[in-house]
Amino acid sequence: MIIHVVQRGDSLWSIAQLYRADLQQIILLNQLNNPNILVIGQALVIPEPNKEYVVRQGDTLWNIANRYGIGVQDLAEKNNITNPSLLFIGQMLLLPYYNYVVQPGDSLWEIANRFGTSVSQIAEANNIENTGMIDAGMFLGIPSPQRPVKEINAYITQTQVEGAQEVAALGSHFTYLSPFTYSIKADGTLTDLNDQAVLEAADKNNVSPLLVITNFIQGDFDSDLVATFLRDPDIQDTFIENLLAIINSKGYTGVNFDFEYVYPEDKENYNAFLRKVVSRLRPSGLTVSTALAPKVREDQQGLLYEAHDYKTQGEIVDFVVVMTYEWGWAGGPPLAIAPINNVREVLDYAVTAIPPDKILMGIPLYGRKWEIPWVQGTTAQTVSTQQAIQLAARYGVTIEYNEEYQSPFFQYTDENNQRHEVWFEDARSAQAKYETIEEYGLRGGSYWVLGIPFPQNWPILQRNFKVRKL
């Protein structure tokens, strides 16, 4: 899979010719509504012939496997497909083997180096006994490179039919699904959530659901509510019984606590509560995780940060989600949602306090559009990658790329002479985030939030990692 950034004079046809790629597959993979309109600076993902295949109308796993001379089970396993009858138009499949015709002068060693594999793997795949003897014109199946195995979580707020459809289509990419949200009440009970549809979709894709618990009430995180909860062990005991009842009735495999804006004086109460809940859930094989504000040092000031004890929570829970996004927040001035330099600053601290293999790095799936000059009290509008590109095309502007932030952006003037600035995510920014996960040796990543289309993200994820299924 190749990332191509559109240059002046490019057409989709010329790009397909450049990479010897299938035009229709490029259209499907990028979900291009109008293939005749490209924007200078737009990032496209290009499926590599003989290595990747994009599902079209009428395809089945069997006929795709048959076309490339590979096993259906091999193809399903390579792509985390649990139900071979469930394929989706635009879904990219990695082929477990590349077809290669031996050229005069080739050796297995040279071929293995060229394709990033080993002589022994090629020999085993092709039943070659004498690795020094291959003939020109011989057909070889080259095993595709092994990818690092990572865990991926996805938060979702659309928990009924629409959300279930998205989980069905994208579930092969997730280890965990976290429907948002159940909220605590002052008496130890929880709010309800109509999550049956997404839980069924998760189950069909072998995705482990995490029950998200927050202090989120009436559209905001309530500091007083969580203070009452964390200061009363009896309320906590009632809560744990109610929590277990929901887990057992709905089939959740763990719980994710996202308590935000906790008073600093409740830091030790929060730690003590986590120890209590872990002692009750872990013997039953249930995981406990937390969502942490993006701190850059232990003593960072501010209501969002002070009660989030990185070191202690890292010791207590199974893993954490570090919320490395929202620098470009809706109520602030224009900025990349997750500037990679800021993300790395958080991780530089996080890995000193928490084992890297317990950290899921937060990844945004969305962008924002601001009015400029920015005025305090105004609110930015959330946009998807697709919407951002459509805006750039509509107003005839070039998409720029900030190398420091590793994020695309542009400005435009609308029909009312109002200026706007847009920051969003694309294939390049996604690649930068996955490289960061690998560089820091993290457990994986966590998306906020499903429901905002970002089609280029999924083939980039596939190129970088094999997602662990539990």
Side-chain angles (χ1 to χ4, degrees), residues 205-224:
N205 282 276
N206 193 23
V207 179
S208 300
L210 303 180
L211 194 154
V212 180
I213 302 292
T214 66
N215 56 318
F216 192 76
I217 297 291
Q218 295 180 341
D220 209 351
F221 289 92
D222 191 318
S223 301
D224 292 328

Side-chain angles (χ1 to χ4, degrees), residues 151 176 208-211 244 247-248 251-255 277-289 318-319 443 470:
E151 293 187 0
Y176 309 104
S208 300
L210 303 180
L211 194 154
L244 287 169
I247 288 174
N248 292 331
Y252 278 97
T253 63
V255 60
V277 77
V278 165
S279 71
R280 289 292 307 275
L281 269 62
R282 188 169 286 161
S284 300
L286 301 168
T287 63
V288 178
S289 58
D318 296 289
F319 59 89
R443 186 186 191 100
L470 304 180

Side-chain angles (χ1 to χ4, degrees), residues 365-383:
L365 296 179
Y366 59 96
R368 287 205 168 101
K369 176 182 73 172
W370 287 262
E371 291 185 355
I372 55 173
W374 178 73
V375 177
Q376 180 77 41
T378 59
T379 302
Q381 179 182 339
T382 299
V383 296

